[in-house]
Amino acid sequence: MRESRKTAILAALAFSAAALALAGAAHASSGSDNKSDVRLVSTGVAADAAGRARLRVRSASDGRFDLRVSGLAPSSTFQVLIDSVPVADMTTDDQGEGRIRLRSQPRSPSDGLLGTDPRGTVLLVRDAAGNDVLAGELPAGGNASDATEIVCCVPDDSGTECEDRTADECGAEGGTVSTATTCLPNPCDTSTPPTDDHVVCCTPDDSATECEDRTVEECSADGGVVVQADSCDSNPCAAVPPAEGETRCCEADDSGNQCESRLPSECLARGGVDIGAGTCSADACAGVPVPTGAESIRVRCEQRSSRSRAEVEGTGLRDGSYTATVDSGANEVTTAPLAAQSGQATFEFSSDSGDIAGGATAIDLGFLSGSPASITAKILDSSGNVIVQGTATCTN
């Protein structure tokens, strides 16, 4: 079970990285209107699971977060976690689809509270058994993307505004520097939310997320999440325990690959490579080819009465040797190793004897299955790690 989960997670890595690359950085400042759009990937627990998260920041303290999912168990409840803190419950309909909407300034009964800045965080969707079914990471923005800026409470005719400013700009505008790290939620306005100056704050801890009574500013400064609860009595910060323990995750870093202890789903979301359980040593990730996010794949297939063909083209590959695996229904075949040239490797599959003589990998005439026929293709490095994968519906 563990190995099949690991295979599914590795298979989604490059797709996750490519999806994240499409998301624009969301830098929030006064008068801005920034958007991030991230496609979540299935961890392999639910093969058809899919999701999309969208964050819109209208101003430094006004954010809206939408999450839509499909392909999950129907009529079931899932927890939505931002950096391990449960921020909402989501119940799917009878088609396995679900949606939540969170706002830093809720406007209707259907709006949940966005009590944290989700930019640069890992997003997980977890079922009642503790299985993470979807994972993704929102790109960094706000102060996280500009070390020169701080959170500034600026006097305004309509009240104190929270803005991202440099320290000099904050002082020049008569503002007060806040100890908070973000304007989401607004640490300068204790009325929205809640009606007093203390909130229920979920603060990350080495052993578990702690529930504390804090001001909004204190919660933000501690890296916490404001949750919509009256007290810590029922511990609204407690997430469903994960079904799997932590794994060693190799992640790309400016100084080289780094090994971190993370949940497999978190490793997937961050674009890392899961190398299995154990203790991270200094050289644990040496030689592990962590996807760069530049890898891409194009998959094509053709089904005729006289022949079946498929082509898998990988680009953006690092130097090295690769194989390609294609499967269609219960059929699967893997090519011989092929060296990438100028970052590119093309693999051909065919039932035609002439194509096979020319170097194509042999497949049976009936290899392509389904109605319409389709295939899934994966490109693997010399160590068997899935670097990138894709699917295609075949032409006739």
Side-chain angles (χ1 to χ4, degrees), residues 26-48:
H27 179 94
S29 59
S30 179
S32 64
D33 190 352
N34 299 283
K35 300 177 183 178
S36 297
D37 191 338
V38 173
R39 183 175 296 172
L40 277 65
V41 293
S42 172
T43 62
V45 174
D48 296 328

Side-chain angles (χ1 to χ4, degrees), residues 245-266:
E246 291 186 336
T247 188
R248 291 177 300 164
C249 181
C250 294
E251 301 174 6
D253 187 84
D254 292 341
S255 58
N257 292 349
Q258 298 295 319
C259 182
E260 302 285 349
S261 294
R262 303 196 188 280
L263 294 176
S265 53
E266 293 173 334

Side-chain angles (χ1 to χ4, degrees), residues 288-305:
V288 176
V290 178
T292 64
E295 300 90 348
S296 64
I297 189 172
R298 183 172 66 171
V299 184
R300 292 179 290 184
C301 53
E302 176 189 54
Q303 184 183 49
R304 295 187 180 182
S305 59

Side-chain angles (χ1 to χ4, degrees), residues 37-267:
D37 191 338
V38 173
R39 183 175 296 172
L40 277 65
V41 293
S42 172
T43 62
V45 174
D48 296 328
R52 185 179 292 275
R54 292 179 176 175
L55 175 67
R56 182 173 183 177
V57 181
R58 292 180 178 273
S59 69
S61 57
D62 184 4
R64 168 176 165 168
F65 176 80
D66 289 275
L67 173 65
R68 292 177 181 266
V69 301
S70 62
L72 301 184
S75 305
S76 301
T77 299
F78 297 81
Q79 273 192 338
V80 178
L81 288 79
I82 294 178
D83 269 2
S84 302
V85 176
V87 296
D89 287 338
M90 177 175 57
T91 301
T92 54
D93 60 19
D94 57 4
Q95 301 297 314
E97 298 180 353
R99 179 188 178 186
I100 62 165
R101 182 174 64 219
L102 308 178
R103 292 182 187 268
S104 54
Q105 301 173 23
R107 300 175 183 176
S108 73
S110 61
D111 291 342
L113 173 66
L114 179 61
T116 186
D117 189 341
R119 292 172 291 189
T121 65
V122 170
L123 174 66
L124 302 175
V125 178
R126 181 173 295 174
D127 68 16
N131 296 302
D132 293 330
V133 295
L134 287 165
E137 184 181 29
L138 285 163
N143 295 330
S145 64
D146 189 343
T148 67
E149 292 193 339
I150 46 85
V151 172
C152 179
C153 297
V154 183
D156 187 84
D157 292 341
S158 58
T160 304
E161 298 290 335
C162 184
E163 307 288 357
D164 293 338
R165 294 285 186 265
T166 65
D168 289 343
E169 290 171 342
C170 185
E173 295 180 27
T176 302
V177 176
S178 169
T179 60
T181 57
T182 176
C183 288
L184 293 175
N186 187 352
C188 306
D189 179 5
T190 58
S191 63
T192 309
T195 55
D196 57 41
D197 62 351
H198 280 73
V199 296
V200 174
C201 176
C202 298
T203 307
D205 187 80
D206 291 340
S207 56
T209 302
E210 299 291 335
C211 187
E212 305 284 352
D213 180 42
R214 294 279 189 268
T215 65
V216 177
E217 185 171 27
E218 290 170 341
C219 187
S220 177
D222 290 341
V225 176
V226 177
V227 295
Q228 197 162 331
D230 296 327
S231 72
C232 288
D233 293 343
S234 60
N235 194 6
C237 303
V240 173
E244 291 190 293
E246 291 186 336
T247 188
R248 291 177 300 164
C249 181
C250 294
E251 301 174 6
D253 187 84
D254 292 341
S255 58
N257 292 349
Q258 298 295 319
C259 182
E260 302 285 349
S261 294
R262 303 196 188 280
L263 294 176
S265 53
E266 293 173 334
C267 187

Side-chain angles (χ1 to χ4, degrees), residues 7-21:
T7 299
I9 288 175
L10 288 173
L13 282 171
F15 175 73
S16 176
L20 292 175

